[in-house]
Amino acid sequence: MRNHPLQKGRRIRGFWWRKHTPATRLASCFILITLATVFVWLFERSEPTVNLIWVANGLLLTYLLLAPRWRWPAYLMAGAAAMIFSSALIGEPWQINLVYNVLNLVEVLIGALLLRKKSTQLPRFTDRRYLARFIGYAVLAGPIASGAILTPVMTGWTHTAPLKVFLDWTVADGLGAAIIVPTFVAIFATRFRNSASLRRHWHYPAVLAAVTVVSFSQDRMPLFILIFPVLVLLLMRLGLGWAALATLLIAAIAGWYTLHNSGPFAVSSSAYAVATIIQVQFFFACCIFMIYIVSVVMQERNSTEFRLQEIASVHELVTDNSRDVILLADLDGRHTYVSPAVESMKGWKPGELLNRRLSEQVHPDDREKVEDAVFQLRHGSDGAILEYRAQKRNGEYIWVESSLRMFRDRRTGIPAGILSLVRDITERKRNEGLLLEAYRQLEELAVVDALTGVANRRRFDEYLANEWSSSARLQIPISLLLIDADALKQHNDLYGHLRGDDCLKQIAEAATRAANRPKDLTARFGGDEFAVILPGTDAAGAVEVGCKIKALLKGCGADHEENTLGPVTISIGCATAIPKSGNEAAALIQAADELLYMAKRNGRDQLCHNLIAPPDLDVGYLIDSAGSS
């Protein structure tokens, strides 16, 4: 698609303007300073005894404050050339022309160097600290320094009163800087691109011009005070740049009428023309500083509105996109705000939960916990984290985690409500349950013998140590059975290990069935040996359990015709003791082991037990396979 010729022409002009911007700015600096010098001379020529304001210095200072420091030499040369040219144009003697313009450059440089120590620092007259520095450096320090140099020179040269020379210079230059610099900074920064706003509010500049003309064309009524509200309205509608431009219009109209003996500050109405002109200058300064003061207020208000909008947008962004539900409740626990995330989490619309209590959608079993947390918050607690089941709109319950916090009024510090951040943890609770079950299974595997399904040696050692300590504390008997399969190796060699494993499983099953009290424990002691811990069981009870195990195992392997070795039998060592101070559980194991080998030495398939005595007693009794002692 071809570009329109008008658009192409605009691009060419825009490129040319950007390419020649530095040169055009230098040219505008030269032209404006020349016009300002001639303009002030025209005003003062009608009343030689007064010195209105000196505009040229303010214009040059404006360009320096807005330009990069490396361009300052070019602007200083353009400004000096404009001052020399305009002074020659108005017929000023070359000696005075040289002295004045050198001091003008000194004055401007003092203000520029002190106000802009870095090239990146731009003027900010809406900043109170910068405004104070501007007044101190540009309005006072620069004019006073150059005035102090000029006073002895002009006193010796023209024999003028020193005070008059000093005051004329410092007041004119100081007020010129105070009025011109902020005004043209605002004008140059605006660039007046929003022409639609001017077309919409054109009547404000027209009204301001009319009010200014009416106020200064007569001196019967002090109508000039009406200029201030109209100027403020223009500032609010069109902005700081147009308001600053309007102050130049006010200055031009008011200065013209004043120097032509009209208006509230007419020279002819005062015996002291200089004092009257100072009043006019002060009025100009009041206009320009008023629009800056109003601009500061407007900027602060706009900044506050912008911050509030940012906070509101961030709040909306967080609440609309957070998967967690954000709840605000009053001190009674009733919802005052519910974030949109509640609909995706629970199916409720935010409006349906307003004015409902925090505990209304909580599972009945968890409701007391939530209500207690709200009560604690109301009575001084800072916060709580709760896990409970919350009801969805369809009646189902999900697990949620709620972080409750008390928030306070920022001004008074008084508790104002409760903030609750609710997160769906259903999946986490499910995973926790699976993890707990896996841990339980792993723990069982860690203490269970894989072949026989009874406790392993690790579990046996832990359990015996605990029950030994408990029996010692309560001074009650504890018994231990050590069981060993007789001739299991021969069975394995003859029939294979699988048949041997079956025999071990039958022994474990028989021992578990015989020792069936809640605190009894059957464990694989090692290899083909098993152990049975019988807490709170005396020797007679232990013998009874041992005999029952033998009876349950009778006939193991007898149903096989090729079983030439006969059925598998077991030998049992049964030790009983009441633990005493200084004894350890290992002594009970040693006693049972000795009794087991006593049974083996006496022909196997027997049970050997001791009396209720210290476990190191080596006296035992034998019980044969039939159960007779």
Side-chain angles (χ1 to χ4, degrees):
M1 180 178 179
R2 289 188 175 183
N3 292 326
H4 193 276
L6 181 60
Q7 294 178 345
K8 185 176 180 181
R10 287 177 178 173
R11 283 200 301 270
I12 292 173
R13 288 195 297 271
F15 175 76
W16 182 91
W17 176 258
R18 288 193 298 271
K19 183 178 179 180
H20 297 87
T21 295
T24 55
R25 287 178 179 173
L26 287 172
S28 67
C29 177
F30 178 86
I31 294 170
L32 285 177
I33 292 175
T34 301
L35 292 176
T37 305
V38 174
F39 182 76
V40 171
W41 174 76
L42 290 175
F43 266 81
E44 294 179 350
R45 190 177 63 172
S46 60
E47 185 59 50
T49 60
V50 301
N51 192 1
L52 189 62
I53 58 172
W54 187 245
V55 179
N57 289 6
L59 282 170
L60 181 56
L61 180 58
T62 302
Y63 277 98
L64 294 182
L65 292 179
L66 293 175
R69 293 189 66 172
W70 61 272
R71 290 190 183 273
W72 282 11
Y75 281 103
L76 288 171
M77 291 175 63
M83 292 178 184
I84 294 172
F85 174 75
S86 57
S87 297
L89 194 64
I90 63 177
E92 197 172 63
W94 70 269
Q95 299 92 339
I96 296 178
N97 183 342
L98 180 62
V99 172
Y100 281 179
N101 292 327
V102 168
L103 291 178
N104 286 336
L105 294 177
V106 170
E107 177 183 312
V108 170
L109 276 174
I110 290 174
L113 290 172
L114 293 176
L115 283 172
R116 197 172 184 189
K117 297 180 180 180
K118 295 181 181 179
S119 186
T120 55
Q121 292 178 337
L122 293 175
R124 303 179 308 277
F125 290 101
T126 54
D127 185 346
R128 295 184 181 90
R129 288 181 295 182
Y130 185 86
L131 184 60
R133 291 174 56 226
F134 170 75
I135 294 173
Y137 298 150
V139 178
L140 297 177
I144 290 174
S146 58
I149 298 172
L150 177 67
T151 299
V153 174
M154 295 304 295
T155 300
W157 192 353
T158 63
H159 304 289
T160 308
L163 183 60
K164 184 179 186 310
V165 174
F166 181 77
L167 290 178
D168 284 351
W169 180 275
T170 55
V171 171
D173 285 21
L175 284 175
I179 295 172
I180 297 302
V181 175
T183 302
F184 276 89
V185 165
I187 292 172
F188 291 159
T190 301
R191 299 181 183 178
F192 306 104
R193 293 176 178 174
N194 192 3
S195 57
S197 179
L198 180 62
R199 288 195 300 268
R200 204 166 47 245
H201 302 294
W202 62 269
H203 51 283
Y204 287 104
V207 170
L208 180 64
V211 170
T212 304
V213 170
V214 171
S215 299
F216 285 90
S217 62
Q218 53 83 38
D219 54 5
R220 296 180 182 178
M221 298 179 63
L223 298 179
F224 69 94
I225 59 175
L226 297 177
I227 294 174
F228 293 104
V230 179
L231 187 59
V232 170
L233 286 173
L234 188 145
L235 168 66
M236 297 178 68
R237 295 300 183 186
L238 295 176
L240 182 59
W242 285 105
L245 192 60
T247 56
L248 294 181
L249 176 64
I250 295 171
I253 295 173
W256 178 265
Y257 278 106
T258 298
L259 292 177
H260 287 78
N261 300 319
S262 180
F265 306 117
V267 175
S268 60
S269 63
S270 173
Y272 303 98
V274 174
T276 301
I277 290 302
I278 290 177
Q279 294 178 12
V280 179
Q281 295 169 341
F282 183 73
F283 172 75
F284 297 160
C286 287
C287 289
I288 193 66
F289 282 110
M290 183 200 67
I291 67 172
Y292 269 97
I293 290 172
V294 175
S295 296
V296 169
V297 175
M298 292 176 61
Q299 186 178 37
E300 290 180 351
R301 186 197 65 182
N302 293 337
S303 298
T304 302
E305 290 179 355
F306 180 73
R307 286 196 300 270
L308 290 176
Q309 290 174 357
E310 278 192 326
I311 293 171
S313 63
V314 170
H315 175 268
E316 186 177 357
L317 180 66
V318 171
T319 55
D320 289 350
N321 295 280
S322 174
R323 291 188 297 175
D324 296 346
V325 179
I326 303 173
L327 304 173
L328 294 179
D330 58 20
L331 295 177
D332 293 328
R334 294 186 181 276
H335 296 122
T336 58
Y337 171 79
V338 181
S339 69
V342 72
E343 189 169 359
S344 60
M345 182 184 292
K346 300 181 181 179
W348 299 95
K349 293 187 179 299
E352 295 177 323
L353 297 180
L354 292 178
N355 296 320
R356 292 192 179 186
R357 291 187 179 274
L358 289 171
S359 59
E360 281 191 28
Q361 280 73 46
V362 178
H363 192 280
D365 295 342
D366 301 329
R367 191 167 297 163
E368 183 179 354
K369 177 170 57 176
V370 175
E371 291 177 347
D372 181 65
V374 173
F375 177 83
Q376 295 296 332
L377 286 172
R378 198 163 51 238
H379 290 80
S381 175
D382 290 333
I385 297 178
L386 303 176
E387 292 182 359
Y388 57 86
R389 288 158 289 181
Q391 189 179 34
K392 299 175 66 174
R393 202 174 192 277
N394 59 9
E396 297 179 0
Y397 284 93
I398 59 173
W399 277 100
V400 298
E401 179 186 80
S402 177
S403 176
L404 299 172
R405 298 284 299 180
M406 176 69 71
F407 65 89
R408 301 174 179 273
D409 187 281
R410 289 184 176 274
R411 293 172 297 177
T412 62
I414 299 175
I418 299 171
L419 169 66
S420 176
L421 302 178
V422 182
R423 175 174 298 175
D424 186 351
I425 59 169
T426 304
E427 189 65 25
R428 191 184 83 187
K429 294 293 286 188
R430 185 182 297 113
N431 293 335
E432 286 178 356
L434 294 175
L435 184 62
L436 186 62
E437 177 63 21
Y439 178 77
R440 186 188 63 78
Q441 292 177 1
L442 181 63
E443 192 175 43
E444 287 182 357
L445 290 175
V447 296
V448 174
D449 180 65
L451 176 64
T452 61
V454 297
N456 61 11
R457 178 61 184 267
R458 174 185 174 185
R459 176 60 176 156
F460 167 81
D461 291 336
E462 292 176 352
Y463 193 75
L464 179 61
N466 292 335
E467 293 302 324
W468 181 267
S469 299
S470 178
S471 299
R473 185 173 62 254
L474 300 175
Q475 282 297 290
I476 58 175
I478 181 172
S479 297
L480 175 65
L481 303 180
L482 282 183
I483 306 169
D484 183 59
D486 298 329
L488 184 64
K489 184 178 183 305
Q490 290 85 343
H491 277 270
N492 287 337
D493 294 339
L494 184 61
Y495 304 113
H497 286 81
L498 293 179
R499 285 279 301 276
D501 289 346
D502 289 339
C503 289
L504 293 177
K505 292 177 183 178
Q506 291 183 31
I507 295 172
E509 182 180 358
T512 303
R513 288 173 59 188
N516 56 7
R517 295 185 310 166
K519 298 193 71 174
D520 295 344
L521 178 73
T522 300
R524 188 175 181 182
F525 193 73
D528 54 0
E529 292 186 351
F530 293 86
V532 179
I533 301 174
L534 303 171
T537 303
D538 57 13
V543 169
E544 183 181 350
V545 173
C547 292
K548 189 174 181 180
I549 294 173
K550 290 175 61 63
L552 290 171
L553 278 174
K554 190 175 181 181
C556 175
D559 53 341
H560 296 279
E561 296 179 357
E562 67 276 14
N563 187 359
T564 59
L565 296 176
V568 175
T569 61
I570 59 173
S571 299
I572 302 175
C574 176
T576 303
I578 299 176
K580 295 182 179 180
S581 177
N583 291 334
E584 295 183 358
L588 184 63
I589 298 174
Q590 182 179 356
D593 189 57
E594 291 177 358
L595 292 169
L596 172 61
Y597 280 97
M598 182 183 292
K600 292 240 182 224
R601 287 194 302 269
N602 285 278
R604 301 181 179 180
D605 192 19
Q606 296 179 3
L607 183 150
C608 184
H609 68 90
N610 70 338
L611 299 172
I612 299 178
D616 54 355
L617 188 66
D618 58 0
V619 178
Y621 293 84
L622 292 175
I623 296 179
D624 60 19
S625 59
S628 59
S629 55

